[in-house]
Amino acid sequence: MAAVSPDSEQNQANFDFIDSELSTPVGGAQISSLEDVRALIAKKHGGQSMGSDDPIWMLYSLFEVFTSDLSVLLSEVETRQAHERDKLKALVGESAKVLAGELQGELSRLGGAITQIRQNVEVSSIEGLLKQQSQFSNELGVLTSKIKRFLSPIYFLTALNWLSVGALYLIMK
């Protein structure tokens, strides 16, 4: 690396004051006038003052215009944000109303469907009971008809049994 000549050091910008403790405003003071700039520069550079033709005055003026434009821009952005926030609140409120209405409609449809299912279950269970009763009645009727077919032989055999008991009694007497 080439050695730095003393002349090139003089042409280099000196930003050492930025890292120093003196770069922070004392007591929260802000620069609000050219006199404040002059006092700050004198303080940072060991009491050296600068002439009125120094380019720092142009930088201060540009900075002042920049900060005023920035504050106007920030206030415009804040106003826009407030309006957008209000629009968003209104939109969210309207959306919530619409969603609540749709949800209420869906819930009422669901309630209707549940009622219909309940009625179907009740009807199907009643129909099921009626079908079971009908089937039981049919089976009972079939059993009764089978028993009626066998009643004549039962009567005949019962009468024959009594006759044989009576005959046995007469024989044994």
Side-chain angles (χ1 to χ4, degrees), residues 19-100:
D19 295 331
S20 70
E21 294 178 15
L22 297 176
S23 65
T24 58
V26 178
Q30 295 180 345
I31 298 174
S32 60
S33 67
L34 290 173
E35 287 76 30
D36 292 341
V37 172
R38 183 174 287 159
L40 181 65
I41 291 173
K43 185 176 181 181
K44 294 210 183 264
H45 293 286
Q48 273 188 323
S49 184
M50 54 188 194
S52 61
D53 60 343
D54 198 297
I56 195 72
W57 302 126
M58 183 174 63
L59 288 177
Y60 173 76
S61 300
L62 290 174
F63 180 73
E64 190 175 28
V65 169
F66 171 75
T67 55
S68 66
D69 287 348
L70 183 62
S71 67
V72 168
L73 181 64
L74 287 175
S75 66
E76 288 175 3
V77 166
E78 188 175 307
T79 305
R80 281 188 210 157
Q81 283 181 342
H83 289 301
E84 292 298 322
R85 195 175 303 118
D86 292 341
K87 286 180 187 177
L88 187 60
K89 284 179 183 177
L91 181 65
V92 166
E94 291 173 17
S95 298
K97 288 177 185 176
V98 169
L99 288 175

Side-chain angles (χ1 to χ4, degrees), residues 53-170:
D53 60 343
D54 198 297
I56 195 72
W57 302 126
M58 183 174 63
L59 288 177
Y60 173 76
S61 300
L62 290 174
F63 180 73
E64 190 175 28
V65 169
F66 171 75
T67 55
S68 66
D69 287 348
L70 183 62
S71 67
V72 168
L73 181 64
L74 287 175
S75 66
E76 288 175 3
V77 166
E78 188 175 307
T79 305
R80 281 188 210 157
Q81 283 181 342
H83 289 301
E84 292 298 322
R85 195 175 303 118
D86 292 341
K87 286 180 187 177
L88 187 60
K89 284 179 183 177
L91 181 65
V92 166
E94 291 173 17
S95 298
K97 288 177 185 176
V98 169
L99 288 175
E102 289 179 7
L103 184 60
Q104 188 66 30
E106 290 299 320
L107 286 175
S108 65
R109 279 186 239 141
L110 181 62
I114 288 173
T115 303
Q116 184 64 35
I117 290 170
R118 185 177 295 139
Q119 289 173 351
N120 290 344
V121 166
E122 288 174 359
V123 166
S124 67
S125 64
I126 291 171
E127 287 176 356
L129 288 174
L130 290 175
K131 284 180 184 178
Q132 287 177 354
Q133 183 184 9
S134 173
Q135 186 179 4
F136 179 72
S137 295
N138 289 338
E139 290 176 5
L140 187 60
V142 169
L143 183 61
T144 305
S145 66
K146 286 181 181 178
I147 289 175
K148 283 182 181 179
R149 271 192 263 155
F150 294 115
L151 277 181
S152 299
I154 290 175
Y155 291 147
F156 175 72
L157 291 175
T158 304
L160 187 60
N161 188 26
W162 280 108
L163 285 174
S164 42
V165 168
L168 186 61
Y169 177 74
L170 289 176

